[in-house]
Amino acid sequence: MEVLPANPAAPSDDPSDTMGGSQPFMLVQMAMAKADALTRAQRWDAALDAYGDAIRLAGDDGLGLATKADAHRGAGIVHMRCSNWDGAECELLESQAFASQLKDDRRLALVKNVRAAVAFERGDWQDAQQLYRAARGHAAASGSTRLLAQIDNNEGALWSALGHQKRAEACFRRALELFEELDNHPCGARTLNNLGIALVAQGRLWEADNVYDRAMRECKRQGDRTLAAEVMLNRADLAYTRGNEHQAQSLADRARTFAEHLENVVVQASALRILGGVSRVSGDLRLAEQQIETAIELSRGGTAPLSEAEAWAELGLLFMDRHDPQRAEDAWRRAQSIYRDLGNTTEADRLDQQIGSSKRRSEAA
């Protein structure tokens, strides 16, 4: 089950934060406001240009350094939304350097939180754990409830991906309590989405369906198309798990259309993996193989390792349907290797059992 903690922190979460620089103050403010608006509108290239303008206009006084920290972090989030992990990390390290120069705990918490999310997405889960721990320390020092809630959400996503669903659920529920104190902070919808994933992994499907419904209502209220695509994807996965292939196909198709428009490779790959599974169950094995292999191609090379592992696991099922246990085992071992590299021993052990069962059936035949 894909966990997608994208948009871990908005470019600036504190409306009281002072933006600007000395050269000149008004132009810097305008550039940052434009960049933030373009990011919300998901106009990625224009947003990056606007953040660049803010950085060039900002001075070297305290306000200028704060602006540079925020603008580089905003640019890093844009790169993250486009699955450009190297570009994101480069911008975020620049942001962290300016925040360190200012000794600003709030900004350090923000940037390390986003860096952890980037590490998570590219499969560096040990680095992600360390960065979340550091972000939590800075957030506590800054006294920011909303930052602590965001970090709870993102840490929960990491625990869920590692297979520790109870621990993940506890993080998500703690984050929701904090978000409710903040009067329905927009990140609450993302936490609901992630909670649904953890509930599905525990087999609590009806609870998950209700949580996804709440998440989708929040997406519509906020106009968040990126998160809406992720919720649709997870609902498609839930429908597929329940054996409702028609609903799974409809939701996965819609999620893929959204993801292509948003240039979200992670969601595209996961949607194609679900569509491949639906085609397999429907008996169209040729189309299924094409869809799953496209999912693998989109996610390989560190782009979306969790999506790649899930696609290899699905491909193994397809080969079993073709009565080709050797190729099935090879696909499952590829998935297993990725899961082990990520630290998800739960899924790796499950595939061990699947491979063992396949061997026993082959020997019995």
Side-chain angles (χ1 to χ4, degrees):
M1 180 69 70
E2 185 65 65
V3 181
L4 297 160
N7 194 25
S12 179
D13 280 324
D14 188 345
S16 68
D17 190 27
T18 304
M19 296 289 185
S22 57
Q23 296 294 327
F25 176 79
M26 185 61 71
L27 288 178
V28 175
Q29 280 193 316
M30 288 172 63
M32 282 298 294
K34 180 181 178 182
D36 292 348
L38 289 166
T39 298
R40 288 192 295 272
Q42 296 158 356
R43 295 175 56 190
W44 309 130
D45 290 340
L48 288 173
D49 288 343
Y51 283 126
D53 289 342
I55 292 164
R56 286 188 292 275
L57 288 166
D60 293 323
D61 58 358
L63 290 175
L65 295 178
T67 297
K68 290 174 182 178
D70 293 338
H72 279 296
R73 189 177 72 252
I77 289 171
V78 170
H79 282 298
M80 182 184 175
R81 289 288 193 93
C82 297
S83 305
N84 178 5
W85 313 132
D86 290 340
E89 180 68 357
C90 182
E91 293 285 356
L92 294 170
L93 285 172
E94 289 286 340
S95 174
Q96 185 172 310
F98 286 116
S100 295
Q101 200 173 336
L102 289 165
K103 298 180 180 178
D104 187 324
D105 278 308
R106 193 186 68 81
R107 285 186 168 85
L108 284 167
L110 281 168
V111 72
K112 289 183 180 180
N113 182 39
V114 186
R115 284 189 62 209
V118 170
F120 170 90
E121 292 287 2
R122 73 192 310 172
D124 299 331
W125 290 0
Q126 187 173 0
D127 288 348
Q129 284 180 293
Q130 294 172 352
L131 283 162
Y132 282 136
R133 192 177 304 119
R136 181 177 294 282
H138 288 298
S142 74
S144 174
T145 300
R146 69 180 64 212
L147 262 175
L148 287 169
Q150 288 171 349
I151 294 165
D152 273 332
N153 168 65
N154 288 355
E155 276 194 304
L158 180 60
W159 288 122
S160 184
L162 286 166
H164 302 298
Q165 303 304 336
K166 286 290 187 184
R167 191 165 185 175
E169 182 184 351
C171 285
F172 295 141
R173 293 198 183 279
R174 189 165 60 242
L176 284 171
E177 287 178 9
L178 292 173
F179 284 135
E180 285 171 5
E181 290 177 19
L182 297 168
D183 192 24
N184 292 321
H185 188 276
C187 284
R190 185 163 301 281
T191 304
L192 285 166
N193 180 51
N194 287 340
L195 175 59
I197 294 169
L199 292 171
V200 169
Q202 296 176 63
R204 294 154 64 184
L205 305 186
W206 289 109
E207 288 180 71
D209 203 18
N210 290 333
V211 168
Y212 284 144
D213 188 54
R214 287 173 60 195
M216 184 58 77
R217 286 201 302 270
E218 278 298 297
C219 289
K220 290 177 180 177
R221 187 178 67 82
Q222 297 164 19
D224 190 335
R225 292 177 294 169
T226 298
L227 182 55
E230 296 169 18
V231 176
M232 276 187 273
L233 175 69
N234 291 330
R235 296 193 91 163
D237 227 343
L238 175 56
Y240 181 48
T241 300
R242 282 176 164 169
N244 189 340
E245 286 83 22
H246 179 74
Q247 184 184 23
Q249 182 175 24
S250 175
L251 288 165
D253 265 330
R254 289 173 62 198
R256 183 179 60 167
T257 300
F258 270 58
E260 286 174 351
H261 177 71
L262 299 168
E263 300 180 358
N264 188 321
V265 176
V266 180
V267 174
Q268 286 182 59
S270 294
L272 280 164
R273 186 259 307 166
I274 295 169
L275 290 169
V278 170
S279 298
R280 176 185 66 81
V281 172
S282 301
D284 193 342
L285 301 189
R286 180 177 294 182
L287 177 60
E289 185 171 6
Q290 185 180 62
Q291 290 167 323
I292 297 167
E293 286 184 345
T294 303
I296 291 170
E297 190 61 36
L298 282 171
S299 54
R300 73 187 341 152
T303 300
L306 189 55
S307 296
E308 184 183 357
E310 290 171 338
W312 279 112
E314 186 65 49
L315 190 61
L317 294 174
L318 183 145
F319 288 136
M320 286 301 291
D321 285 357
R322 283 187 172 163
H323 309 291
D324 191 343
Q326 186 54 58
R327 292 183 74 186
E329 288 174 28
D330 290 344
W332 286 333
R333 289 197 190 283
R334 292 288 295 271
Q336 189 179 50
S337 174
I338 297 169
Y339 280 128
R340 288 204 193 285
D341 287 344
L342 291 172
N344 190 333
T345 55
T346 302
E347 284 301 306
D349 290 346
R350 182 185 65 79
L351 286 170
D352 247 345
Q353 295 174 1
Q354 211 157 307
I355 291 167
S357 176
S358 171
K359 285 182 179 294
R360 287 190 294 273
R361 284 198 300 270
S362 297
E363 290 166 0

